[in-house]
Amino acid sequence: MGTCDYSDARAEFSASSRQSRDRAILFASIAGIVLLVGAFLIGDVVTFAAAAGTALLAWAGVQLVGIGYLRTRPKNPAVGLSIVAGAATVLAVLLITPGGTAAVTIAGAWLACGAATEVLRGSQWRRALSAEGTSGEVVRTLAVHTGYDGTPLVSFLSGGVLVGVWAAVLGALPWLTPFAILVHVAAALGLSASPRTR
């Protein structure tokens, strides 16, 4: 029917595909380096595996909480999601923090989950570039006009850094947990107010 002709856009498709691959490699490299540093700081395989494994489970739990919240069809999904995910993240970090030395490993495991998600997203993007139908058309249009629509580096890094910082702080001072949750809620409410002021 009204299919666009993308014969002149092969360079954009190729650049978009390369962009998705490069971003996945960058994210995986960062996560790998942080995990190696964490392993070196802990120095014990069992403790390292326990910290990384529980961080992976906590990450999965936070994602499930976020997905569950979005399925309730809230009126303002972004704000509520950041509140719910922020509170869940802090509680998850509190549960998995055996001490300050594990904070780097916890951050690395969190980043590794984000990197794995980006690898999956990039591979789906590359597949969709050559797909037939509406979904392929949409992705090809995005590739031409905006390039690869992946996770921004700042978002990827901030998640791991924040979880690592919370792990270090809450490992030393667990009584700060309620305040950590309040900080997340306040930040989310601040974000909700800002789009209305044009």
Side-chain angles (χ1 to χ4, degrees):
M1 287 202 345
T3 335
C4 298
D5 179 22
Y6 289 113
S7 52
D8 296 334
R10 293 192 184 274
E12 281 90 344
F13 296 163
S14 176
S16 167
S17 178
R18 201 168 43 250
Q19 207 178 4
S20 71
R21 242 186 233 105
D22 291 348
R23 191 170 305 189
I25 291 168
L26 174 66
F27 286 11
S29 302
I30 292 170
I33 290 167
V34 175
L35 278 173
L36 281 173
V37 171
F40 176 76
L41 289 173
I42 288 179
D44 174 34
V45 178
V46 176
T47 309
F48 172 79
T54 47
L56 295 177
L57 289 174
W59 182 88
V62 168
Q63 304 311 308
L64 287 173
V65 166
I67 291 167
Y69 175 78
L70 285 176
R71 284 182 180 263
T72 64
R73 301 181 194 276
K75 289 182 181 175
N76 196 339
V79 181
L81 184 60
S82 56
I83 293 173
V84 172
T89 301
V90 173
L91 290 172
V93 167
L94 180 64
L95 291 173
I96 62 178
T97 306
T101 53
V104 177
T105 299
I106 289 167
W110 207 273
L111 288 171
C113 291
T117 304
E118 186 57 31
V119 168
L120 183 63
R121 180 180 291 164
S123 97
Q124 288 174 339
W125 176 270
R126 289 189 296 277
R127 261 199 313 275
L129 277 172
S130 57
E132 298 291 332
T134 310
S135 61
E137 288 291 319
V138 169
V139 170
R140 284 188 286 276
T141 302
L142 285 171
V144 169
H145 295 291
T146 61
Y148 171 59
D149 181 28
T151 308
L153 180 61
V154 175
S155 300
F156 167 72
L157 289 175
S158 62
V161 169
L162 283 173
V163 166
V165 168
W166 283 136
V169 171
L170 298 179
L173 306 166
W175 54 270
L176 280 176
T177 304
F179 299 103
I181 294 173
L182 287 174
V183 165
H184 274 284
V185 173
L189 292 175
L191 287 172
S192 72
S194 58
R196 294 179 188 175
T197 58
R198 292 187 177 180

